[in-house]
């Protein structure tokens, strides 16, 4: 269990920045976003707080095989589409039923969550 941590100004700014966007930014992008409010924040502080917020379930860390992890302030299951070229992730604006994981049984596994993931290429990478 995660030990109690005090809520710092940096952590609050990072969390609020993530909850205001749907773009699923990388740590570097979050660093740039937070420097507007906190010009002296370090990239290391951003990484440490993203890791802590992920462990606490406040945000989601999205890994889709690209070089950089992306982060989301929306922790509810919702459909997404990653770009197979650059790794950018976008929310799919569609209402889809989320499977009830309580009814899922997989030999040798405990199912802990669900992800609805589409495949695609973003407009910037499309040839």
């Amino acid at each position: 269990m995660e030990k109690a941590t005090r809520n710092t100004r940096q952590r609050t700014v990072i969390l609020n920045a993530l909850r205001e966007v749907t773009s699923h930014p990388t740590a570097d992008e979050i660093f740039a976003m937070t420097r507007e409010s906190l010009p002296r924040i370090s990239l290391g502080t951003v990484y440490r707080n993203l890791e802590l917020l992920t462990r606490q379930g406040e945000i989601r860390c999205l890994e889709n095989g690209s070089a950089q992890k992306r982060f989301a302030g929306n922790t509810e299951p919702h459909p997404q589409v990653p770009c197979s070229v650059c790794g950018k992730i976008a929310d799919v604006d569609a209402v889809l039923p989320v499977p009830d994981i309580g009814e899922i049984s997989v030999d040798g596994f405990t199912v802990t969550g669900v992800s609805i993931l589409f495949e695609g290429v973003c407009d910037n990478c499309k040839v």
Side-chain angles (χ1 to χ4, degrees):
M1 178 174 211
E2 185 74 38
K3 71 178 187 175
T5 57
R6 66 184 177 96
N7 195 16
T8 65
R9 181 164 186 251
Q10 293 92 340
R11 192 169 305 125
T12 300
V13 169
I14 291 167
L15 183 57
N16 288 341
L18 269 174
R19 288 185 173 160
E20 290 174 5
V21 297
T22 59
S23 60
H24 307 85
T26 64
D28 290 337
E29 291 167 338
I30 295 165
F31 174 62
M33 292 162 50
T34 57
R35 286 188 52 96
E36 294 174 19
S37 299
L38 301 168
R40 297 183 62 152
I41 194 169
S42 72
L43 184 57
T45 297
V46 171
Y47 273 103
R48 281 190 300 280
N49 280 285
L50 289 172
E51 183 180 313
L52 176 66
L53 289 166
T54 299
R55 282 196 318 264
Q56 291 177 333
E58 294 287 330
I59 64 172
R60 288 183 61 208
C61 177
L62 308 168
E63 299 183 66
N64 65 337
S66 68
Q68 290 189 311
K69 296 176 183 175
R70 293 185 171 269
F71 298 89
N74 181 357
T75 59
E76 295 297 315
H78 59 280
Q80 300 169 329
V81 58
C83 175
S84 60
V85 177
C86 70
K88 174 183 174 180
I89 300 174
D91 287 341
V92 174
D93 190 22
V95 178
L96 300 171
V98 177
D100 179 4
I101 64 170
E103 299 177 9
I104 304 295
S105 173
V106 180
D107 236 7
F109 285 85
T110 299
V111 178
T112 60
V114 63
S115 173
I116 302 169
L117 199 61
F118 290 86
E119 297 176 4
V121 177
C122 74
D123 288 344
N124 291 334
C125 295
K126 191 169 43 175
V127 179

